[in-house]
Amino acid sequence: MSANANVYQQVNAARRSPIVWLAPLQAAAALTVLAIVGAGQLLRGWILGALFFLMATPLLISLEAGLVAMLLFEPFRGLIRRAQYLIVDYSQLDPIHVLTPLVTLMALAKLVQRYRLNVVRATPLAGAVSILAAIFLAQIFNPLQGGMMIGLSGAMLMLVPVSWFYFGQVISSRFMRVALQLIVALGIVTSLYGVYQLIWGYPQFERYWLDNVEFYVSIGVGHVKRPVATFTNAEEWGRYIAMGTLVAFGFSAGARPLLTRVSWFICGSCLATVLLFTGQRTAIFGLLLGFATLLLLGAREFRGVLVRVFLLLLPIVLIATLAKPPSEDEMWNKEETETVGTLLSHTQRGTLKPTGEDSLYVRLEVWKDLVINVIPYRPLGAGLGAGSLGALKFSNVNDEIAIDNFILVLAVAVGIPGALLFVWILGRATVFAVRQTRRAVPNTPEAVMARIIAALMPVFILNNFFGLTFSLYAVAPVGWLIIGWISAQEGRATQERDSETFEL
């Protein structure tokens, strides 16, 4: 009798299982209908909830799956944010910015659950990064910045991306390769929309955003507006595709089949061409520095280094001698419809004659004032959000002060010790990356990837000094992920060397 009852229960469970699985789908469908009918805030809440679900669910599969989901979302965050103004009114407070931080914290909790607190000191750079993260955390509560909301805003920009360093310590070589290739693919896809903005202008919902956006004076170049593609701002787009360009050229240089090499070279050339139209001159200089590093790291002997240095200097000398930068009046004389010509003139002038730009001297004056009159009087920092956009949004300050230097932003926010520690981490990671390139066996996938990563590090240094790279939504996590990867690779090499020494 009991056996029959058991069979009956199994049959019943089999019959109920489709209903059990369909119930959540039916609830989701019903909520979707209600959200569409209700429109406005309700519909936006449903869309944001769906995006959060799409990023968080892959974490159930693996940490790397969750990272891929966030890497896919970040380049489109800006476009999704602007598209929501089709259904809601403009507001400075936008809940879309908390999605990735929440998923990142969930991923970090999963990592700590698996590896415990060993992650904070597992690799050569982990201790320094953990100290920096602790400084960031403490500075959230600094009363000098004006309030907790400012500190939390700074945390989303600077503290949350540091979590990706710990992810970089545990990811596989295959995942790092996929992540780099994904940057190239996303750079191309997102740039297509940027080209659309460049040629045909902004769609109506983005014009609404332009009419209401605050604290973004630099979007204007002459009489035109820079394209931002799918990103939050033009700087983020420029930094992202500069990374993609360098990665593509790196894979092209290391590829063996001719077709693969040509394909990667075409991808890099397309992204490099688009970069000229972003008007982001610092990104262009960063790419040039990264390309030079990539080329020099390919030489195995001193003679090869000399030859490559000559090849790099030759076009620079020719361009500096023969090319004539356009005047500033030429840029301002162009009409609003001449977007391409205006941005090209802006790029040419800033690239061929960087010291002739008024914006450079304004920036230097701001830095001088910070170094002389601000930082020395608050050497331990004024709060994690000080000097960031959050300080403008959540305070009574109405004037924008564009620091455009992440290292100085750190000096203002977390003090001189925190800024110096960050510089040390970047410098040490660069040394490790170059060392790993030299150790790698030539003509192997590991050597190609090590060379690309080593070439990216000088770019991060330059773009953090002349920009805010490590506070950009789509770029900062990638930077910290790469530093974590470098640190883990150095740790493994040290263990192998110590093991060999012990055996001897």
Side-chain angles (χ1 to χ4, degrees):
M1 184 68 180
S2 60
N4 291 335
N6 192 24
V7 171
Y8 178 77
Q9 289 174 357
Q10 291 177 358
V11 171
N12 263 358
R15 290 176 178 174
R16 285 198 303 266
S17 59
I19 300 176
V20 171
W21 283 106
L22 286 175
L25 296 177
Q26 291 171 337
L31 288 173
T32 302
V33 173
L34 290 175
I36 294 173
V37 172
Q41 297 293 342
L42 184 61
L43 180 57
R44 179 171 74 167
W46 171 245
I47 293 172
L48 295 181
L51 289 172
F52 175 79
F53 178 80
L54 290 174
M55 283 193 288
T57 302
L59 287 173
L60 298 175
I61 302 173
S62 69
L63 173 65
E64 293 180 348
L67 297 182
V68 168
M70 289 186 279
L71 287 173
L72 288 171
F73 169 76
E74 281 303 321
F76 298 95
R77 184 202 293 222
L79 178 62
I80 297 171
R81 178 197 177 192
R82 296 189 292 274
Q84 71 181 348
Y85 298 134
L86 291 168
I87 56 176
V88 296
D89 295 330
Y90 178 83
S91 173
Q92 287 187 31
L93 303 177
D94 200 326
I96 195 172
H97 294 315
V98 305
L99 297 184
T100 305
L102 288 175
V103 179
T104 300
L105 293 177
M106 291 173 61
L108 184 62
K110 181 174 182 177
L111 185 70
V112 172
Q113 182 183 20
R114 181 175 179 181
Y115 295 98
R116 306 301 177 185
L117 293 180
N118 294 326
V119 294
V120 302
R121 50 183 175 83
T123 60
L125 292 176
V129 173
S130 298
I131 293 172
L132 183 65
I135 293 173
F136 284 178
L137 183 63
Q139 288 288 352
I140 294 175
F141 308 97
N142 192 326
L144 295 177
Q145 63 195 329
M148 274 288 293
M149 287 300 296
I150 297 176
L152 292 173
S153 176
M156 287 196 297
L157 291 173
M158 292 188 282
L159 177 59
V160 172
V162 177
S163 303
W164 286 68
F165 170 87
Y166 302 107
F167 304 150
Q169 293 185 129
V170 300
I171 59 175
S172 64
S173 299
R174 179 176 174 275
F175 176 82
M176 178 54 77
R177 189 177 184 87
V178 169
L180 292 176
Q181 293 172 346
L182 194 61
I183 291 171
V184 178
L186 290 173
I188 293 173
V189 171
T190 56
S191 293
L192 292 175
Y193 187 69
V195 172
Y196 170 84
Q197 292 174 330
L198 181 69
I199 298 175
W200 288 283
Y202 283 94
Q204 185 59 43
F205 67 91
E206 291 188 309
R207 291 178 191 170
Y208 172 77
W209 168 73
L210 285 172
D211 292 338
N212 291 275
V213 69
E214 300 160 297
F215 314 122
Y216 194 10
V217 179
S218 61
I219 194 173
V221 177
H223 298 296
V224 307
K225 302 293 186 184
R226 303 174 192 257
V228 297
T230 62
F231 293 85
T232 304
N233 54 56
E235 181 183 4
E236 187 177 35
W237 181 30
R239 302 296 192 271
Y240 194 89
I241 61 175
M243 279 197 309
T245 304
L246 193 57
V247 170
F249 283 143
F251 280 126
S252 175
R256 306 306 297 172
L258 180 61
L259 181 60
T260 304
R261 176 171 291 193
V262 171
S263 299
W264 280 116
F265 183 80
I266 291 173
C267 291
S269 300
C270 291
L271 288 174
T273 303
V274 172
L275 184 60
L276 297 176
F277 297 103
T278 64
Q280 289 296 316
R281 295 160 298 183
T282 303
I284 293 173
F285 282 114
L287 175 60
L288 293 175
L289 177 61
F291 183 78
T293 306
L294 185 72
L295 191 64
L296 293 176
L297 288 174
R300 308 302 298 184
E301 300 176 354
F302 183 72
R303 182 180 177 183
V305 172
L306 291 179
V307 172
R308 293 173 188 236
V309 168
F310 175 77
L311 292 175
L312 287 170
L313 291 178
L314 182 61
I316 294 175
V317 172
L318 290 175
I319 292 173
T321 304
L322 302 177
K324 182 181 179 182
S327 63
E328 189 174 358
D329 292 337
E330 184 177 339
M331 179 185 70
W332 282 97
N333 288 335
K334 296 185 182 296
E335 301 294 333
E336 292 185 11
T337 55
E338 298 180 271
T339 310
V340 175
T342 301
L343 288 172
L344 272 181
S345 297
H346 178 71
T347 302
Q348 290 173 348
R349 178 175 170 79
T351 305
L352 298 175
K353 193 179 179 182
T355 58
E357 290 292 294
D358 293 336
S359 59
L360 175 63
Y361 295 102
V362 172
R363 189 181 300 181
L364 292 176
E365 285 297 321
V366 172
W367 295 353
K368 178 182 176 182
D369 180 63
L370 289 172
V371 172
I372 295 175
N373 300 320
V374 178
I375 296 173
Y377 296 97
R378 291 181 177 176
L380 298 181
L384 193 58
S388 70
L389 186 60
L392 298 174
K393 286 184 176 182
F394 301 109
S395 67
N396 296 322
V397 179
N398 296 319
D399 296 327
E400 179 185 12
I401 301 175
I403 298 178
D404 286 333
N405 184 319
F406 185 70
I407 296 170
L408 287 181
V409 168
L410 283 181
V412 171
V414 301
I416 297 173
L420 292 178
L421 181 58
F422 174 75
V423 172
W424 185 87
I425 291 169
L426 278 185
R428 196 66 178 155
T430 304
V431 172
F432 287 164
V434 173
R435 187 184 298 171
Q436 289 161 19
T437 305
R438 294 304 180 192
R439 278 199 306 260
V441 179
N443 302 322
T444 61
E446 292 74 18
V448 173
M449 196 159 61
R451 185 179 171 191
I452 292 171
I453 289 174
L456 283 170
M457 288 309 301
V459 180
F460 291 146
I461 293 174
L462 178 68
N463 288 346
N464 274 302
F465 191 82
F466 288 96
L468 304 171
T469 297
F470 270 40
S471 62
L472 300 175
Y473 298 123
V475 181
V478 175
W480 282 112
L481 185 77
I482 288 174
I483 294 175
W485 165 261
I486 292 171
S487 184
Q489 293 295 99
E490 189 65 22
R492 295 187 189 102
T494 302
Q495 288 179 353
E496 291 175 2
R497 186 165 58 248
D498 293 343
S499 176
E500 292 174 0
T501 303
F502 178 77
E503 290 176 2
L504 292 175

